[in-house]
Amino acid sequence: MLSLEAENSTKLQAARSLQSTLENTRLHLVDCRDQFDSQQNNPESEFTQIFEGRKGLTDPAVAGVHVASQIVSTTVSVLTLAYVVLIDISFPKSFLRKLKVQYLEQKAKDQYIKTIVSDDAPNINAEDNERLRLANEQKKEALKLAKARLIEKDGDIRKLAPLVEQDFNKARTLTNEAATLASKILDARLQLTRLRQAYPHPRLTIPAANAQLDMQVAEMQRFDDELQSLNESVDQAKDKVKEGAREVERLRAERAEVEKLARAGKDEVEDGRVVGLYDWLTASLALHRALYSLQSFHSASENELRLTYLVPKSPSPSVQPMQIRIILLFVPNTRQLADAQIEGLADDCGDVVGAHVQANDVPGLIAAVLARARSDLQ
C-alpha cells in the first residue's frame, strides 16, 4: 500500500511539473496563428482577394503550402518541447505512444479534409477501388499465411522447448564434467612433473619393479620367519627367567635356613673350621650337580639313596631333556653297595649294574649309566 501511494504521488508530481512547463513555454503554433490572422487583416496582402470576410477561413488548396509548413514547424516545436520535457521528467512509453497516435490521427483528418474540399479532387473510380480490394485481399492472405506460419512456429517452439532445455542441461552437465576432468588432468600432469623432478633417471621399469617387489616379498617373509623364531626365543627366555627367579627364591629360602643352621652350629661348636667346611661341602655339591646334571637327591632310608639326573637330548634349549633315576641300595650300617635300580633307559643295564656292584664302585656306576643314556640319545 505504501509503495502504491508513493508511485501515485510520484506520477502526480510529474503531471504537475509537465503542466507548469507547458504553461511557461511559448509555443510557435500560437505565434503562427496570430501571424496568419494579421496577414488576413492586412488589405495589401494577396490573400485578401480570396478571403470571404471571416477571420481564419480560406481555400485549403490555396493555403495548403502554408498549412504544411505550419504543421512541420508545429511538429518540430512539439517534438522539441517533448524532448525538453523528457530531459527533466521521464514519461512512460504508453503516454508517448498515445501522443503519436493522436498526432497521426489529426494529420490523417487534415489530409482527408484537404482532399474533400479541394477543387482538384483526385479521380477515384471503381477500378481503383477494385484494385485496392484485390491488394487488400492479397495482403490479408499473406497475413493469414504469416499467422499460420507463426502459429506453427509457436507450436514447434512449445514442443521443442523442453527438449532444448534437456539438451541444454545435459550440455551444461557435460561441460561442468569436462571442466572438472580438465582440472584433474592438469593436477595429474603437475603431480607427474613433480614426481619426475623428484625422481630423475634412471627410473624403474615395470619388470624391474616387479622383480624388486618379489625380492622384497621374499625378504619380508624371511624377516617374518626370523621374527617368529626370535619371539619363540624370547618366550623361552622369559620362561627360563621365570624358572631362574623361582630357583633364586628357593635358593634364598635355603640360604636363609642354612645360615640359620650355621649360626646355631657356630654357637654350639667351638671349632671355627666347621663353617668353612660346610661352605666347601655346599659348593662341591653344587658343582657336582652342575657337572653331572643332577636334578635332585633324596635319602629314603638309612641304606637307600635316590638320585635323579636330567640328560639333554640335543644342544637346542627347546628340546626337553631325558630324566634318569638311579636308586642305590647299601648294606645296612656299611658303605657296601648291595644293589642298584635304573629307571628311564630303554635298554637293560643289568650287566653294568652287576659289574659295578661287585666292585662297589658307585661313581663308576653313575658315570656308566649316564654315558649309556647319552649314547642312546645320539
Side-chain angles (χ1 to χ4, degrees):
M1 184 65 68
L2 294 176
S3 60
L4 183 61
E5 291 179 356
E7 184 177 0
N8 292 332
S9 62
T10 304
K11 292 182 178 180
L12 182 59
Q13 291 177 2
R16 290 178 178 176
S17 177
L18 177 61
Q19 183 179 2
S20 62
T21 304
L22 292 174
E23 291 177 354
N24 296 328
T25 303
R26 183 175 180 80
L27 299 178
H28 294 280
L29 183 61
V30 178
D31 297 337
C32 292
R33 186 187 62 182
D34 296 338
Q35 291 177 5
F36 182 75
D37 293 338
S38 63
Q39 288 292 332
Q40 285 181 346
N41 295 327
N42 189 5
E44 296 179 358
S45 177
E46 62 182 357
F47 295 104
T48 56
Q49 297 176 3
I50 57 177
F51 287 168
E52 296 180 356
R54 290 181 292 177
K55 181 187 289 187
L57 297 179
T58 185
D59 189 2
V62 178
V65 179
H66 300 280
V67 173
S69 62
Q70 293 297 326
I71 290 174
V72 171
S73 61
T74 304
T75 303
V76 172
S77 301
V78 171
L79 292 177
T80 305
L81 176 61
Y83 177 75
V84 172
V85 172
L86 286 175
I87 293 177
D88 298 330
I89 302 171
S90 59
F91 285 96
K93 293 182 178 180
S94 60
F95 176 78
L96 296 178
R97 284 196 294 268
K98 290 180 180 179
L99 184 62
K100 181 179 179 181
V101 170
Q102 290 178 1
Y103 170 74
L104 294 176
E105 184 180 358
Q106 294 296 331
K107 184 177 180 182
K109 288 181 179 179
D110 183 70
Q111 290 180 355
Y112 179 72
I113 291 171
K114 289 179 183 179
T115 304
I116 291 176
V117 302
S118 177
D119 295 336
D120 298 332
N123 187 14
I124 299 174
N125 51 20
E127 294 179 357
D128 296 334
N129 293 329
E130 185 67 18
R131 186 169 57 255
L132 290 174
R133 187 182 65 80
L134 294 175
N136 290 332
E137 289 181 356
Q138 292 178 359
K139 291 181 180 179
K140 287 180 180 180
E141 292 293 334
L143 181 60
K144 288 182 180 180
L145 294 175
K147 286 183 178 180
R149 287 195 298 269
L150 182 61
I151 293 172
E152 184 180 0
K153 184 64 69 175
D154 184 69
D156 295 338
I157 290 173
R158 292 181 183 276
K159 292 179 181 179
L160 297 177
L163 301 177
V164 172
E165 185 178 3
Q166 292 179 1
D167 295 339
F168 174 75
N169 294 331
K170 187 183 296 184
R172 183 171 58 185
T173 304
L174 294 175
T175 303
N176 296 332
E177 186 177 358
T180 304
L181 292 176
S183 178
K184 290 182 178 179
I185 291 171
L186 183 59
D187 295 339
R189 287 180 179 177
L190 293 175
Q191 187 176 4
L192 182 61
T193 304
R194 295 191 187 97
L195 289 175
R196 286 178 178 176
Q197 292 179 356
Y199 301 98
H201 289 285
R203 300 188 183 92
L204 290 177
T205 59
I206 295 178
N210 292 329
Q212 187 174 0
L213 178 61
D214 296 337
M215 293 174 60
Q216 290 178 354
V217 169
E219 189 175 2
M220 289 175 64
Q221 186 66 33
R222 182 172 59 82
F223 287 158
D224 193 8
D225 296 338
E226 291 181 359
L227 179 61
Q228 187 175 2
S229 62
L230 289 175
N231 290 331
E232 293 177 356
S233 302
V234 168
D235 294 337
Q236 294 176 1
K238 288 181 179 180
D239 295 337
K240 287 184 178 180
V241 169
K242 291 179 181 179
E243 293 177 358
R246 288 193 294 267
E247 185 69 20
V248 167
E249 293 295 331
R250 187 181 63 80
L251 292 175
R252 285 179 181 176
E254 291 181 359
R255 180 179 179 181
E257 293 178 359
V258 170
E259 288 179 353
K260 184 178 180 180
L261 294 174
R263 286 193 298 270
K266 185 176 180 181
D267 295 336
E268 294 176 357
V269 181
E270 296 180 357
D271 192 356
R273 295 178 297 172
V274 175
V275 178
L277 292 174
Y278 179 78
D279 294 338
W280 174 78
L281 178 61
T282 304
S284 299
L285 290 175
L287 180 62
H288 179 76
R289 292 176 65 179
L291 291 175
Y292 290 96
S293 302
L294 179 62
Q295 184 181 12
S296 64
F297 60 92
H298 176 63
S299 179
S301 61
E302 294 181 355
N303 60 340
E304 183 181 353
L305 180 62
R306 296 181 180 182
L307 303 175
T308 303
Y309 292 90
L310 290 176
V311 180
K313 294 181 180 180
S314 64
S316 177
S318 62
V319 181
Q320 297 294 330
M322 184 175 63
Q323 186 177 8
I324 305 297
R325 178 177 293 180
I326 302 174
I327 301 175
L328 301 176
L329 300 175
F330 295 91
V331 179
N333 299 326
T334 62
R335 294 185 177 180
Q336 182 66 35
L337 182 61
D339 193 6
Q341 297 177 5
I342 309 298
E343 297 178 0
L345 289 178
D347 298 336
D348 187 10
C349 299
D351 54 348
V352 177
V353 173
H356 287 86
V357 167
Q358 292 179 1
N360 195 22
D361 186 4
V362 177
L365 176 61
I366 294 172
V369 171
L370 295 177
R372 178 70 64 86
R374 292 189 180 92
S375 63
D376 290 342
L377 292 174
Q378 293 178 359

